[in-house]
Amino acid sequence: MTLVVMTLGWICGIAFVSRYPQTDAVWPALVIGGLILAVVMRGKFGLQQLSLAILAAGLGMWRYSSIQPTFTENDLATYNNHGYADMVGIVMESPDVRDTSVRLRVEIQSIRQRGAKERTIHGLTLVTAQRIMLASDLAKCPQ
């Protein structure tokens, strides 16, 4: 039963801090508070289980917060979901040509968003472009 309670606490801690990332600094208080309560409530099974769940929630919050990547303004990932931008980069590999598209791995060197100046950044992206059929390609297609 104790393992189930601690597992539920762990999962709740991870779910809470993933939903509310600004609360990631709360985990030390939960860990210390849960540990103290677990020692104080040794004789009371229900309260001890609750304190262990609090302890596990704090540890789950710590684990989730510690593995989250941090990006600076010089990382391409910082600009995810920020709208359209003009990017300059170098194609790193041969194009992956598909039936209707071409995929390019591009090392981005700079970015310019609307109304902002160009900024030097680094990051790798996958660009999917529509494939344009050439007359030589059409000649190869079976009739």
Side-chain angles (χ1 to χ4, degrees), residues 27-92:
W27 72 265
L30 290 177
V31 169
I32 293 169
L35 191 59
I36 291 171
L37 278 173
V39 170
V40 171
M41 300 298 173
R42 255 184 303 177
K44 300 178 175 110
F45 182 75
L47 293 175
Q48 186 181 26
Q49 296 295 312
L50 177 63
S51 62
L52 289 174
I54 292 170
L55 170 69
L59 291 173
M61 291 173 76
W62 163 76
R63 176 65 180 141
Y64 182 85
S65 299
S66 68
I67 63 170
Q68 294 305 306
T70 55
F71 300 112
T72 66
E73 291 181 351
N74 296 329
D75 294 314
L76 178 61
T78 304
Y79 302 95
N80 287 349
N81 299 322
H82 284 233
Y84 292 97
D86 294 323
M87 294 181 274
V88 175
I90 298 172
V91 177
M92 299 302 291

Side-chain angles (χ1 to χ4, degrees), residues 1-142:
M1 181 68 176
T2 302
L3 182 60
V4 172
V5 168
M6 290 188 74
T7 302
L8 287 174
W10 177 273
I11 292 169
C12 288
I14 291 172
F16 186 79
V17 78
S18 67
R19 179 82 168 116
Y20 303 103
Q22 66 274 17
T23 62
D24 66 344
V26 175
W27 72 265
L30 290 177
V31 169
I32 293 169
L35 191 59
I36 291 171
L37 278 173
V39 170
V40 171
M41 300 298 173
R42 255 184 303 177
K44 300 178 175 110
F45 182 75
L47 293 175
Q48 186 181 26
Q49 296 295 312
L50 177 63
S51 62
L52 289 174
I54 292 170
L55 170 69
L59 291 173
M61 291 173 76
W62 163 76
R63 176 65 180 141
Y64 182 85
S65 299
S66 68
I67 63 170
Q68 294 305 306
T70 55
F71 300 112
T72 66
E73 291 181 351
N74 296 329
D75 294 314
L76 178 61
T78 304
Y79 302 95
N80 287 349
N81 299 322
H82 284 233
Y84 292 97
D86 294 323
M87 294 181 274
V88 175
I90 298 172
V91 177
M92 299 302 291
E93 296 177 3
S94 297
D96 179 9
V97 180
R98 307 279 174 111
D99 287 341
T100 59
S101 65
V102 177
R103 295 182 181 183
L104 305 164
R105 291 177 58 92
V106 180
E107 176 72 35
I108 302 299
Q109 297 173 330
S110 67
I111 189 169
R112 187 179 69 227
Q113 293 178 298
R114 289 185 182 155
K117 64 179 185 173
E118 190 169 332
R119 179 180 304 260
T120 301
I121 62 168
H122 56 86
L124 189 64
T125 187
L126 178 65
V127 176
T128 303
Q130 184 177 4
R131 182 172 177 203
I132 300 173
M133 298 293 281
L134 302 174
S136 59
D137 292 332
L138 294 173
K140 295 177 188 175
C141 293

